[in-house]
Amino acid sequence: MLSKVLIANRGEIATRIIRTCAEAGIPSVAVHSQADANALHVRLADEAVLLGAASATDSYLAIDKIIEAAATTGAQAVHPGYGFLAENAEFAKAVEDAGLIFIGPPSSAINVMGSKIAAREIAAQAEVPQVPGSPSTIASAADVIAFGDEHGYPVAIKATYGGGGRGMRMVASAADAESAFASAKQESAAAFGRDDVYLERYLSSARHVEVQVFADKHGNAVWIGDRDCSVQRRHQKLIEEAPAPGLSADLRRAMGEASVRLAKAVGYVGAGTVEFLVEADQDRFYFLEMNTRIQVEHPVTEMTLGLDLVAEQLAVAAGEPLSITESGATPRGHAIEVRVNAEDTRGALFMPSPGPISTVAAPTRAGVRWDGGYESGDEVQPYYDSLVGKLIVWAPTRERALDRLAFALDELVIDGVPTTVPAARAIIAHKDFRNVEMHTNWLERDIDFASMLAPLEEPADADADAEEVLPRNEVWVGDRRYVIPFFTPAGPAAATPTAEPAAPRRVAGSGTRKKRGGSGAAASGEIKSPMQGTVAQIDVEVGATVEAGQVLMVLEAMKMQNPIRAAIAGVVESLAVKVGEVVPSGAALATVTAGGE
């Protein structure tokens, strides 16, 4: 048994690992930033070490500080959780070099699988099916166009080092190649410290199915079930379930065996997940990537197999053989997990919404589990991801699990910040999801998801009968135009930003209207932030001429990058922020004057 474990992470996964350590009688050490000094994982651990400032770079990504914390507290092993440094080969090597146990695969395996190019090469050697892809990283948009001409569109540009949809762009045609290439490299550099990207043929209607593998230090490797993670938004998973519904036994076995071959080919140890794109109707699957860590969605596998995968990780790291001796155990019943994030789902925009949580109350009915990173009175910080917790249900059948989940979502209480619970309710009630007719683009392409959620509030209007609409501050975030409340000497016209379609239109009750007898005013062109976030990049200078829809800057909020675009063509009159600055919602970002006047 391990003598003491340092958890190099925060939030839900840190609390999850700390609780399993406690059950096993293993003392735990939490690390934290200044912003997380009173966080739940700090309160639960036996010891806690301050790493640095709120920035992840100064804390949860500071390898030297984490190694020093392990040494000063006498920790024998380091568990990286998921995210942050979990799949960082340099970190794993530093842990190994310090004479500590890394609770995960050897750094050599992380290094190989961390490069998507190298992973594809290993997958080919292990005879794992793959979609067509570039043999190496690409250097320009011309490479994207050449690949598209050969293999057809759409094409996916992907970060060579990374995952979770960060640094990924879909290219629908040659005309999109230049902008997609530039933005993919930009986001990859910001997320992973490297801007290398490569190409794959994009399967637009495939399901995302992953296989859980486990290996020990004695040469044993098994696959222990599969999960469906097809319901995604911006390549981020929202709902996961096990087993993946609607797959044939032959397809499950073929994916499982391919996953074990891949794990053995890289000398894998510990818990890992091999992800596939699946065309279930044709019994075909294609290798996507391997995640060399515990997954966010691991509880659904635990619920259907009666396992504690973190406890298994601890045992394997201590040198014990796997307790699971055979692959392909038959799952018992069905489990579904909902990620509950601090995001405002109105209008299907999923705006990051950090802040204090007044109440967290999870349902206690049979077959329901809540893995949370916060308790009542805690605060969701704007510097990290938006995951508040995970609601997991189990039932004998998928149909009963969905019904149980609907009740559990209604009973879950999280007050203080908006969450993604309304989105989860809408998804599990949809006939496509009930009938297993979803795929990775289903939510964003095939259904009118925005109409299933509450609309963004239109500004209050004291004079709804007036005809003339005064201009309002507007800003583009991604592909949506936001209408920000227009502040007049008499005060704000509304307290809530609204969103409208790209084409201007008159909506009853929208905008700040001219009072009878008043006079109109020219548009100010002032661009305000629709969210709290950090200015990650500024793409223009004062005096620059810009087109409507052109990216002015990029805000990063809760590990998601949001391009801020010009609502009108004109000239950049002023920039009110600088790179690295944290801005609140509604803060002035820039001013664009129409026509340069």
Side-chain angles (χ1 to χ4, degrees):
M1 185 174 73
L2 300 175
S3 59
K4 183 182 287 188
V5 173
L6 180 144
I7 297 91
N9 218 296
R10 66 176 301 280
E12 177 274 326
I13 189 58
T15 65
R16 164 79 176 88
I17 297 166
I18 290 167
R19 285 178 166 134
T20 294
C21 286
E23 287 185 6
I26 302 172
S28 60
V29 179
V31 294
H32 64 93
S33 68
Q34 290 176 347
D36 273 342
N38 298 314
L40 179 59
H41 75 285
V42 175
R43 303 197 300 268
L44 290 178
D46 297 293
E47 299 177 61
V49 177
L50 171 65
L51 295 177
S55 167
T57 303
D58 295 325
S59 52
Y60 298 107
L61 296 176
I63 294 176
D64 292 344
K65 293 180 181 180
I66 294 173
I67 299 298
E68 181 181 357
T72 57
T73 57
Q76 179 190 10
V78 175
H79 197 308
Y82 55 71
F84 291 127
L85 295 169
E87 294 180 280
N88 187 302
E90 179 186 352
F91 177 56
K93 185 67 164 58
V95 172
E96 295 165 355
D97 291 345
L100 304 170
I101 297 171
F102 184 75
I103 303 177
S107 58
S108 57
I110 298 176
N111 187 54
V112 171
M113 302 314 290
S115 165
K116 301 301 186 288
I117 299 296
R120 285 178 60 87
E121 292 175 355
I122 292 292
Q125 295 171 15
E127 299 182 343
V128 180
Q130 302 180 69
V131 294
S134 59
S136 60
T137 57
I138 61 170
S140 69
D143 294 331
V144 180
I145 295 171
F147 184 88
D149 290 344
E150 180 180 356
H151 298 285
Y153 290 96
V155 171
I157 304 175
K158 292 186 172 184
T160 304
Y161 299 89
R166 306 293 299 277
M168 179 177 173
R169 295 293 184 273
M170 192 275 285
V171 184
S173 68
D176 301 329
E178 190 71 44
S179 61
F181 175 74
S183 60
K185 288 179 72 68
Q186 167 197 310
E187 187 173 32
S188 178
F192 311 115
R194 300 186 61 164
D195 67 353
D196 309 61
V197 293
Y198 74 106
L199 302 172
E200 282 185 357
R201 180 73 169 87
Y202 188 75
L203 300 180
S204 61
S205 299
R207 286 171 58 187
H208 185 132
V209 178
E210 59 189 31
V211 175
Q212 180 72 62
V213 295
F214 234 111
D216 61 23
K217 299 178 181 178
H218 304 278
N220 304 309
V222 296
W223 65 273
I224 54 171
D226 51 61
R227 303 182 283 256
D228 189 291
C229 310
S230 298
V231 179
Q232 301 179 11
R233 173 194 56 85
R234 292 179 64 180
H235 312 295
Q236 298 290 319
K237 302 166 186 173
L238 297 179
I239 295 179
E240 302 100 356
E241 55 184 312
L247 304 186
S248 70
D250 289 343
L251 182 58
R252 291 186 200 279
R253 184 171 56 255
M255 284 193 297
E257 292 173 351
S259 301
V260 169
R261 291 197 302 271
L262 187 64
K264 288 184 174 180
V266 293
Y268 203 83
V269 173
T273 300
V274 183
E275 300 191 343
F276 298 100
L277 292 175
V278 174
E279 295 176 317
D281 57 337
Q282 301 179 50
D283 258 18
R284 294 193 303 200
F285 65 96
Y286 306 95
F287 173 68
L288 185 59
E289 63 181 351
M290 184 176 190
N291 296 132
T292 53
R293 53 170 167 79
I294 196 77
Q295 288 280 88
V296 178
E297 55 270 24
H298 74 272
V300 292
T301 297
E302 293 181 327
M303 297 281 274
T304 56
L305 294 178
L307 297 170
D308 183 334
L309 295 183
V310 173
E312 196 74 24
Q313 282 186 298
L314 298 175
V316 166
E320 299 177 22
L322 284 173
S323 66
I324 312 151
T325 58
E326 295 184 1
S327 289
T330 301
R332 172 180 169 270
H334 199 87
I336 307 175
E337 173 183 291
V338 167
R339 300 190 189 193
V340 179
N341 296 326
E343 297 175 12
D344 190 340
T345 65
R346 291 177 301 165
L349 296 176
F350 292 86
M351 297 295 292
S353 302
I357 301 177
S358 56
T359 305
V360 177
T364 56
R365 63 173 56 237
V368 176
R369 165 177 164 181
W370 170 252
D371 283 16
Y374 299 85
E375 293 179 335
S376 299
D378 289 340
E379 182 171 356
V380 179
Q381 299 291 341
Y383 315 104
Y384 318 113
D385 68 70
S386 62
L387 184 67
V388 176
K390 303 177 306 197
L391 185 65
I392 310 107
V393 303
W394 176 91
T397 66
R398 185 175 188 263
E399 291 72 22
R400 289 182 63 182
L402 285 169
D403 292 340
R404 179 169 287 169
L405 179 57
F407 281 109
L409 285 168
D410 287 342
E411 293 170 345
L412 177 65
V413 177
I414 299 176
D415 291 332
V417 295
T419 72
T420 51
V421 166
R425 287 196 190 103
I427 290 167
I428 67 170
H430 197 282
K431 62 180 180 61
D432 288 356
F433 186 79
R434 290 268 174 169
N435 295 332
V436 196
E437 295 175 351
M438 67 286 189
H439 51 77
T440 55
N441 285 310
W442 169 73
L443 194 64
E444 295 179 310
R445 187 192 71 190
D446 289 5
I447 64 173
D448 183 9
F449 191 48
S451 69
M452 299 163 60
L453 300 172
L456 286 165
E457 297 173 12
E458 295 288 353
D461 189 354
D463 191 3
D465 295 330
E467 290 299 323
E468 186 174 353
V469 179
L470 291 181
R472 295 155 292 172
N473 296 313
E474 298 173 313
V475 61
W476 283 81
V477 181
D479 296 322
R480 290 246 182 194
R481 188 183 70 178
Y482 288 82
V483 180
I484 307 299
F486 184 79
F487 286 77
T488 69
T496 308
T498 67
E500 292 184 352
R505 63 189 178 102
R506 187 184 304 274
V507 180
S510 69
T512 302
R513 297 180 184 269
K514 182 177 112 175
K515 300 294 182 183
R516 288 184 175 90
S519 60
S524 71
E526 186 176 27
I527 295 169
K528 294 186 176 182
S529 176
M531 70 194 79
Q532 177 170 316
T534 301
V535 181
Q537 176 178 316
I538 297 177
D539 296 297
V540 296
E541 297 178 347
V542 173
T545 300
V546 297
E547 299 297 326
Q550 181 175 333
V551 175
L552 303 179
M553 63 187 67
V554 175
L555 290 186
E556 182 163 308
M558 296 174 130
K559 298 177 73 173
M560 295 180 64
Q561 290 202 330
N562 303 275
I564 304 299
R565 304 175 186 270
I568 59 173
V571 173
V572 179
E573 182 178 306
S574 65
L575 290 170
V577 294
K578 60 182 181 295
V579 173
E581 183 174 345
V582 177
V583 297
S585 177
L589 301 176
T591 301
V592 176
T593 302
E597 298 178 358

